[in-house]
Amino acid sequence: MPDWASRNFTLLTSAAFITSLGSHGALIAAAFAVLEQGGDAGDVGLVAAARTVPLILFLLIGGAVADRLPRHRVMVTANLLNCLSQAAFAALVLAGSPLLWQMMLLAALGGTGQAFFSPAAEGMLMATVDRKNASKAFAVFRLTMNGATIGGAALGGAMVAVVGPGWVLAVDAAAFAASAGLRALLDLSGTPRRAQGGNLLADLRDGWHEALARPWFWSIVAQFSVVVAVIGAAESVYGPLVARDHLGGPAPWGFALAAFGVGTVVGAVVMMRWQPRRPLLAGTLCVFTLALPSAGLAVPLPVPGLVGVMFVSGVAVEVFGVAWITTMHQEIPEEKFSRMSAYDWLGSIGMVPLATALAGPAESAFGRSNALWGGAVLIVLVTAAVLFVPQVRTMTRRPERADASAAVDEGGAVPGAAVATAASEPAPATDSDSDAADAEGAARRYG
């Protein structure tokens, strides 16, 4: 780890690597577990949907809970729930008699755990680094996660072929247990206490008002509800069909998806060294390239062209992702970060089930090529619309200021708490207002 990486950051990154490594293998194992019991593609889809639906339903509650309770406890509890559900799934598969409703129920428990875990994890991760190194920190974290994603999928597929899906699910359960153990070792002695708000419903309303008060936030969340939906339909529905009909089978599509994964790794490496002065503008401009996969499938491009398109889009996704989380870290108060993260997650994935369900009817109504071109045009249009939001174009990176630490010490807070609370200073859209914003933020926090 770099010199600036704290013990907590190292623990969180290590735990995330272990969890991601196991989970991406388990996704393959779950699908083959259904098929080995005589299920078809529809049954595989039902098990996948059983995980996605509770994830969407409980995300906002998970974000509010993570802002009320110690985030590391929420993360550990969610990990233990995932461990138990995957262990039960593995036991059923190894016993050789899992029923479809049982697999759907256990997948739903896994999705519920993820709904509580994800908002808490983002809030906890960004509280372990100062603003100066936030971009580098998230880039390192994403680099680790992307490596685990690629390795987990490859290792999981090989293990399913050699030892069967049941043992891969068992390994995933053990990975969740190990990750829970690492996260239980987090040192929260220097983290300031967050003031308790009202009831849970009041916290959800407060998160909604916070989101509406930031046009840059809700506009990009709305943009990505469309972008992620289009990409989801292209990759999960149209991509395999194009590969079957025009590219010679599933192997070329596998190469294209692998190129996307490699692109995300390269993008993370780029963002470890590049810190754009206007992160939202730089990230949003990269989103235009996410229309390329749909356009490439619509042509369709030959395999080398499609691999290149997917690589470029992988780099672009990572550049935007690091720029986005860095901006959230700078702009959103720490005590409200998790519920805002939950709204971000919900906006990003909420339309994916609808898009994948409508992909087939859209192909029948307009033709596959026209449906794909329509998706590419949608991405371009919503991305161009976001650029009309002034904060997206003008918001600048605000460097960490030494007077923030002084304000903590003078205000009587716990020494070292400036790292965790730096994110709660409201950042301006331009550099000229930054001194006033810092003073206002310090007054609000420290009285």
Side-chain angles (χ1 to χ4, degrees):
M1 284 292 181
D3 293 338
W4 49 257
S6 65
R7 175 178 177 274
N8 281 351
F9 179 81
T10 302
L11 284 172
L12 287 171
T13 304
S14 302
F17 177 82
I18 294 171
T19 303
S20 186
L21 195 66
S23 295
H24 283 84
L27 290 175
I28 299 173
F32 277 92
V34 175
L35 296 175
E36 285 188 358
Q37 298 305 312
D40 55 17
D43 294 329
V44 174
L46 286 175
V47 174
R51 180 179 179 83
T52 303
V53 170
L55 174 60
I56 294 173
L57 291 178
F58 291 111
L59 261 175
L60 296 183
I61 297 175
V65 168
D67 279 339
R68 295 174 64 86
L69 302 177
R71 291 188 178 116
H72 71 295
R73 294 181 183 175
V74 176
M75 295 165 67
V76 170
T77 302
N79 280 166
L80 292 177
L81 175 60
N82 286 127
C83 171
L84 294 175
S85 64
Q86 289 295 74
F89 202 158
L92 285 174
V93 173
L94 290 173
S97 57
L99 301 177
L100 180 61
W101 70 266
Q102 293 172 327
M103 292 186 283
M104 291 177 62
L105 174 62
L106 293 171
L109 289 175
T112 302
Q114 186 69 26
F116 284 85
F117 174 84
S118 295
E122 287 196 357
M124 192 72 220
L125 175 71
M126 301 314 291
T128 64
V129 293
D130 56 32
R131 190 187 307 143
K132 177 181 178 182
N133 294 305
S135 179
K136 294 179 181 178
F138 194 66
V140 169
F141 182 80
R142 290 292 302 168
L143 178 63
T144 305
M145 290 285 289
N146 292 331
T149 298
I150 297 170
L155 185 61
M159 289 181 63
V160 167
V162 175
V163 299
W167 288 109
V168 177
L169 292 168
V171 169
D172 187 38
F176 276 116
S179 298
L182 288 176
R183 290 172 175 127
L185 298 175
L186 293 170
D187 179 12
L188 282 301
S189 59
T191 303
R193 291 181 178 271
R194 283 170 284 155
Q196 290 292 331
N199 55 41
L200 191 64
L201 185 59
D203 286 350
L204 290 173
R205 286 199 301 266
D206 182 58
W208 177 250
H209 293 150
E210 289 285 338
L212 291 181
R214 294 171 170 82
W216 62 268
F217 180 85
W218 62 256
S219 62
I220 288 182
V221 170
Q223 170 204 12
F224 264 77
S225 68
V226 176
V227 171
V228 175
V230 170
I231 293 174
E235 292 190 354
S236 63
V237 179
Y238 295 131
L241 295 175
V242 171
R244 181 195 66 187
D245 296 341
H246 301 284
L247 304 179
W253 183 236
F255 288 136
L257 293 178
F260 179 87
V262 173
T264 61
V265 172
V266 172
V269 172
V270 169
M271 293 305 287
M272 288 173 63
R273 297 184 175 274
W274 181 45
Q275 297 187 19
R277 183 172 178 270
R278 296 183 180 182
L280 277 187
L281 178 61
T284 301
L285 291 176
C286 287
V287 176
F288 281 108
T289 65
L290 300 185
L292 293 177
S294 291
L297 290 170
V299 173
L301 291 176
V303 175
L306 191 59
V307 167
V309 160
M310 295 295 286
F311 173 81
V312 170
S313 62
V315 175
V317 161
E318 208 59 28
V319 171
F320 172 83
V322 175
W324 174 247
I325 198 68
T326 302
T327 303
M328 288 182 64
H329 182 245
Q330 174 179 285
E331 297 291 322
I332 295 174
E334 190 275 336
E335 68 274 10
K336 298 179 180 181
F337 195 95
S338 288
R339 73 192 82 168
M340 296 289 284
S341 175
Y343 278 103
D344 177 26
W345 269 81
L346 181 62
S348 296
I349 68 173
M351 289 182 62
V352 172
L354 178 63
T356 54
L358 292 178
E363 180 182 17
S364 300
F366 307 109
R368 185 187 303 163
S369 181
N370 288 335
L372 284 164
W373 279 119
V377 171
L378 270 178
I379 291 178
V380 171
L381 290 177
V382 296
T383 304
V386 165
L387 291 175
F388 284 96
V389 179
Q391 295 95 328
V392 173
R393 301 192 311 272
T394 62
M395 186 181 293
T396 57
R397 180 186 300 275
R398 182 160 52 90
E400 184 186 25
R401 296 182 179 273
D403 57 356
S405 298
V408 174
D409 294 336
E410 292 171 4
V414 178
V419 169
T421 59
S424 63
E425 294 185 16
T430 61
D431 287 335
S432 61
D433 298 331
S434 58
D435 290 336
D438 281 345
E440 180 185 350
R444 176 170 56 81
R445 287 196 311 280
Y446 311 122

